[in-house]
Amino acid sequence: MSHILVTGGAGFLGGNFVLNWLANSDAEGVINVDKLTYAGNRKTLAPVEDDPRHIFSQTDICDRTALDDLFAKYKPRAVVHFAAESHVDRSIHEPGEFVRTNIVGTFTLLEAARAYCGALGADAKVVFRFLHVSTDEVFGSLGPNDPQFSETTPYAPNSPYSASKAASDHLVRAYHHTYGLPVLTTHCSNNYGPYQFPEKLIPLMIANALGGKFLPVYGDGQHVRDWLYVDDHCAALREVLARGRLGEVYTVGGWHEMTNLEVVYTLCDMLDQLKPKASGSYRDQIIFVKDRPGHDRRYAINARKLERELGWRPAETFETGLRKTVQWYLDNQAWVSDVMSGEHRNRLAKRYAA
Ligand code: NAD
Ligand code: DAU
């Protein structure tokens, strides 16, 4: 059987991608390579646990020997690279792991892929792909009237997270130009949907709202993000993997800019309908807290190239995507308690102790 190798497939995006891929494809299996950090969870993969097309390997992408063994054993047709440290707030407090996984890990994976691809026969080499999943954060911060980010926006990363992702993007680009590795890179805006770890805005707010805790909005709440439902992102990645032009970059976004405060209000109003409180509104739990250091003011994506070349547009509106997301969290409280380890609870408690 032919396989694709997915890194970070027990995390939010990678997990959704693996489920989405196996639900849509009879043809190819998945080698799921994940270290299982605090953000990775086997429970996310429960729906495919007994699917013989899904092979899970608890492996660190910095481990070259283990990667070489996986390439040699399964001879993947493509690599889809999600594995990363992904949370900006963590990168501010503990940047070291971001440099290790996002830069050294991507370098190690590129080296393993280069060695593997170099030894492939002509037919296999023509179809091999390395899809690198990056972020819009590498482009820095937009002013209120600036045009959206696009494939030609210069890099200006502002956090240790985005700087480490930018470094990994540059390595991926260099491996194409120098060694001819058949790479594709995507830069996506903020995703939301099922299985997102409750440290990111939307799942954190849902968990805190239901737990009767405060809803901490950073600064004045007027920071803008461009929201994309995770299944729409998975569909975009499938298109890029199937038909993207080698060495090209594609920006992926939801065409849906909102301030954080608007997002939290919408979420509270939806919860008021779906799970009303005994009295009052979830909005009563909102508080404003100290801003994130170096907090980027606005991200927004121009996804025209993806539409023009590959015919992709998001299928969900923010309203429909958020409703599915909120309902999923209401129905899957056990998943939330499982992933909220003691370590993560202590971290949050410490941060908000003051
Ligand atoms: P996540 O934190 O939910 O998941 C990351 C996964 O990578 C986890 O399963 C973790 O165990 C695994 N991992 C971490 N270090 C590893 C290592 N050294 N070796 C192997 N596995 C390791 O992240 P996410 O939100 O799913 O993001 C996935 C990718 O998409 C990241 O590269 C991120 O930069 C990018 N991205 C995310 C978003 C978003 O909104 N979530 C938007 C644009 C781009
Ligand atoms: O833009 C793509 C990026 O989106 C991805 O590359 C990152 O991996 C992903 O984490 C996300 O980064 P953000 O920093 O935008 O996401 P986060 O959910 O942490 O925060 C979204 C916005 O909400 C941001 O402006 C900070 C704010 N926020 C966040 C949290 C956790 C709050 O106001 N309160 C909070 O408690």
Side-chain angles (χ1 to χ4, degrees):
M1 174 186 273
S2 171
H3 288 95
I4 61 168
L5 188 151
V6 173
T7 69
F12 165 51
L13 288 187
N16 275 283
F17 183 82
V18 168
L19 298 180
N20 182 292
W21 180 270
L22 291 174
N24 283 294
S25 159
D26 301 328
E28 284 176 306
V30 171
I31 315 301
N32 189 344
V33 178
D34 197 298
K35 182 183 169 184
L36 295 180
T37 67
Y38 78 97
N41 201 292
R42 287 294 292 269
K43 294 229 160 50
T44 299
L45 301 163
V48 294
E49 213 50 53
D50 297 324
D51 188 331
R53 295 171 304 160
H54 179 239
I55 295 156
F56 186 82
S57 171
Q58 184 171 1
T59 296
D60 187 332
I61 56 163
C62 297
D63 183 342
R64 175 67 195 273
T65 308
L67 290 178
D68 284 345
D69 288 349
L70 288 168
F71 275 106
K73 184 166 177 193
Y74 296 107
K75 303 189 171 29
R77 196 265 303 167
V79 172
V80 186
H81 177 34
F82 295 96
E85 288 293 332
S86 69
H87 193 210
V88 175
D89 292 328
R90 281 187 185 247
S91 84
I92 293 166
H93 300 293
E94 291 158 38
E97 209 46 36
F98 287 71
V99 170
R100 183 183 174 279
T101 285
N102 300 1
I103 306 178
V104 179
T106 300
F107 163 71
T108 309
L109 183 66
L110 282 165
E111 278 290 87
R114 175 165 82 94
Y116 166 74
C117 184
L120 287 175
D123 290 352
K125 203 174 273 180
V126 167
V127 295
F128 183 73
R129 296 287 181 274
F130 185 107
L131 171 51
H132 174 60
V133 181
S134 187
T135 169
D136 60 357
E137 297 203 16
V138 297
F139 301 125
S141 184
L142 294 168
N145 301 314
D146 288 341
Q148 299 139 317
F149 298 135
S150 75
E151 291 78 6
T152 54
T153 305
Y155 276 63
N158 288 322
S159 70
Y161 162 67
S162 53
S164 67
K165 289 295 290 185
S168 70
D169 296 354
H170 295 324
L171 283 168
V172 170
R173 177 189 158 89
Y175 271 61
H176 177 67
H177 283 265
T178 306
Y179 304 116
L181 192 71
V183 308
L184 301 149
T185 297
T186 55
H187 296 277
C188 192
S189 62
N190 286 63
N191 280 228
Y192 65 100
Y195 303 110
Q196 188 169 30
F197 192 79
E199 65 183 350
K200 309 284 167 66
L201 180 70
I202 289 180
L204 177 84
M205 292 295 168
I206 298 173
N208 280 12
L210 296 175
K213 298 183 185 148
F214 58 75
L215 309 180
V217 173
Y218 296 169
D220 62 4
Q222 295 307 308
H223 303 79
V224 171
R225 298 291 183 264
D226 177 350
W227 293 95
L228 178 68
Y229 189 64
V230 64
D231 276 354
D232 280 329
H233 187 189
C234 291
L237 293 173
R238 291 170 64 89
E239 290 298 338
V240 172
L241 187 60
R243 297 187 293 122
R245 287 186 290 131
L246 290 189
E248 287 288 320
V249 170
Y250 295 89
T251 47
V252 191
W255 297 106
H256 203 102
E257 290 183 52
M258 281 176 100
T259 67
N260 293 337
L261 202 53
E262 285 169 332
V263 169
V264 177
Y265 280 155
T266 310
L267 199 53
C268 288
D269 297 349
M270 216 169 259
L271 280 169
D272 284 338
Q273 286 171 18
L274 295 172
K275 182 106 181 149
K277 300 205 316 180
S279 68
S281 161
Y282 289 101
R283 285 192 185 207
D284 303 338
Q285 293 167 230
I286 295 173
I287 59 160
F288 291 88
V289 299
K290 194 166 158 240
D291 208 352
R292 171 186 279 175
H295 196 172
D296 286 339
R297 196 67 177 167
R298 174 177 167 238
Y299 304 144
I301 288 280
N302 177 335
R304 281 282 173 247
K305 177 174 172 185
L306 201 49
E307 185 172 353
R308 201 175 52 245
E309 292 191 9
L310 303 178
W312 176 90
R313 265 192 80 83
E316 302 287 348
T317 64
F318 188 68
E319 163 71 26
T320 59
L322 192 66
R323 196 166 283 277
K324 284 185 184 176
T325 305
V326 171
Q327 193 59 57
W328 187 88
Y329 279 94
L330 287 173
D331 295 342
N332 290 275
Q333 285 295 295
W335 181 90
V336 177
S337 333
D338 274 346
V339 301
M340 290 284 273
S341 65
E343 185 265 345
H344 184 65
R345 277 182 218 279
N346 293 343
R347 180 184 290 263
L348 280 183
K350 220 160 98 189
R351 203 158 98 214
Y352 289 115

